[in-house]
Amino acid sequence: MSARPRTTSRRARLAAAAAIAAAGLAATALTVVPASAADAFSVQYRTSASGATADQSEPWLQVTNTGSGTVALNRITLRYYFKSDGPSTTYRFACSWAVKGCANITGTFGTLANPTATADRYLEIGFTAGAGSLAPGQSTGDMQLRFYRSDWQTLTQSDDYSFGGAQTGYADWQKVTLQEDGALVWGTAPAGNNPSPSPSSSPSPSPSGSTSTPPVDPNAPVLFDDFSYGTSADAAVQQHGWTVKSGQGGPGVSGATWSPADVTFPTVGGSKVLNLRLTTDGTAAGTRETEIQTTARKFKNGTYAARVKFADAPNSGPDGDHVNQTFFAFTPLNAPMDPNYSEQDFEYLPNGGWGEPGDIMYETSWETYNPDPWNAVNTHGEQRQSYDGWHLLQFTIDNSAITYWIDGQVVATHGEPYLPETPQFIDFNHWLIDLAGQYSTTPRSYDQQVDYVYFVKDQVLSPAQVASNVAALRSAGTAFKDTVPGS
């Protein structure tokens, strides 16, 4: 896009005046000997969504080792108990931020064997081996967790067993249980629901906020390309469904040229990558931009992923240009406020632009827009930091949400009205927003590189699943695969 991703609609947090004291059944804690007599823990809880109703429940937790031995966190699970909004209501887990890293925290949902007036479900939090261990006296630190209805309807939490609307600062919380190797060590479960070891099939990790995903369909249609081409004129580029942009036109500086010759495939670290070079001398005539896009418009619900290298500085010459480095999917705008238009963007601005003074990453979901006069219907997430270097970018789309990940952590989630209505293209481009960032006439060039792009149709994968699938394709010697049917 050539216009700043301004938010015109954000989901407001729904809040009620006060949490209703839920009438609960009396519960009795069962004393269970922990796996080691030296092991002991405490669980602290707070919430940042204190209303009786909310768009999402936000149980923030931290665990402290109060025992005398060091314990691996992957032996620990926590349970937060709640009353579902209906027997057919499903939920999704997300991790917004964690000291231990969201990629090392898992979240799955279970159903209680003995429902009570305040609980018939639970969210079970676990840890991967990457979370490490807790020594005596150590804490996990902040785990900013959340869950929400899959249909993004408002949920009621005032009748949830583990919820405490007045708990806005961390304190010990007995209504969240902690299990070590399946044995209860901390907390009181709802009556008749003492935690027991989980089923033998371990849940898929849910790094940074993905819901627990079902097994991946091995026959799901897939696009994978690791860009093993000679030049942009290589016949295989077109045969594999890519179009390299040429000529002039938006987005960006009017009069700049889209240059196929600057779309190259150098060898980096022993393997080919896609290199998109932006060159400018501070003038429109001296600016060359790059773009590569799928020829087919056939991508809608599913998982989109790419490993991308961003550049904060030019290869040589003065820095400061308002460059835009991207990975996105979109449906063309056929008319102002076209209801079938859609777009999901990763846009990195290493030198700012659109009024921003420095490094910023946008994740923007578009419903539609009018170019003149400008009117945008979109929403976005943003991170004001440097992303110089290699990063794993992923977004997933299903019938209820668009979720964006960077390096295994959720950075934005958007629901209706931003879901795509029709199939889309996949695109990478590297362009200049304006000529106001650097006025020097010394030529300079910036490089954006792409290691691979991966799409799987109608499957919401976790970042760990994407990494595993890409590794399997490469281990099998697959440089290109496209089984996604045409729209």
Side-chain angles (χ1 to χ4, degrees), residues 55-285:
D55 56 357
Q56 56 189 2
S57 185
E58 299 189 14
W60 293 13
L61 303 172
Q62 59 183 15
V63 175
T64 301
N65 182 351
T66 59
S68 59
T70 298
V71 180
L73 278 169
N74 62 359
R75 295 172 56 193
I76 301 304
T77 57
L78 305 164
R79 285 189 181 181
Y80 179 95
Y81 302 91
F82 64 98
K83 182 77 171 179
S84 67
D85 289 338
S88 60
T89 303
T90 59
Y91 296 85
R92 295 186 173 192
F93 165 73
C95 171
S96 298
W97 186 82
V99 173
K100 289 292 184 180
C102 281
N104 296 314
I105 296 174
T106 66
T108 57
F109 294 95
T111 301
L112 291 181
N114 300 295
T116 72
T118 58
D120 57 10
R121 308 273 186 93
Y122 60 85
L123 167 63
E124 182 164 284
I125 303 301
F127 300 89
T128 69
S133 301
L134 284 186
Q138 281 190 333
S139 167
T140 59
D142 225 8
M143 293 185 289
Q144 298 181 9
L145 312 178
R146 56 192 171 91
F147 65 92
Y148 53 93
R149 289 178 52 149
S150 298
D151 58 9
W152 271 112
Q153 297 300 304
T154 300
L155 57 78
T156 298
Q157 57 180 359
S158 57
D159 59 355
D160 292 350
Y161 176 85
S162 295
F163 173 69
Q167 199 60 45
T168 57
Y170 275 118
D172 286 357
W173 199 250
Q174 292 286 336
K175 289 188 174 184
V176 172
T177 60
L178 181 147
Q179 298 71 235
E180 181 183 5
D181 297 330
L184 180 65
V185 178
W186 169 274
T188 302
N193 292 283
N194 189 58
S196 58
S198 299
S200 58
S201 58
S202 58
S204 300
S206 300
S208 73
S210 70
T211 183
S212 176
T213 56
V216 179
D217 178 1
N219 298 313
V222 165
L223 168 68
F224 172 73
D225 200 336
D226 72 357
F227 300 108
S228 297
Y229 304 111
T231 69
S232 62
D234 189 331
V237 174
Q238 184 175 7
Q239 292 166 2
H240 288 173
W242 294 103
T243 297
V244 179
K245 189 172 182 177
S246 61
Q248 295 185 336
V253 175
S254 178
T257 300
W258 297 92
S259 172
D262 289 316
V263 177
T264 59
F265 303 93
T267 299
V268 176
S271 62
K272 291 272 193 174
V273 300
L274 164 65
N275 194 88
L276 299 168
R277 175 162 291 180
L278 166 68
T279 298
T280 186
D281 61 3
T283 69

Side-chain angles (χ1 to χ4, degrees), residues 423-445:
Q424 307 182 116
F425 298 105
I426 294 175
D427 199 308
F428 299 89
N429 63 12
H430 193 181
W431 49 281
L432 191 62
I433 295 172
D434 56 41
L435 298 173
Q438 172 58 257
Y439 295 102
S440 171
T441 58
T442 301
R444 58 269 186 190
S445 60

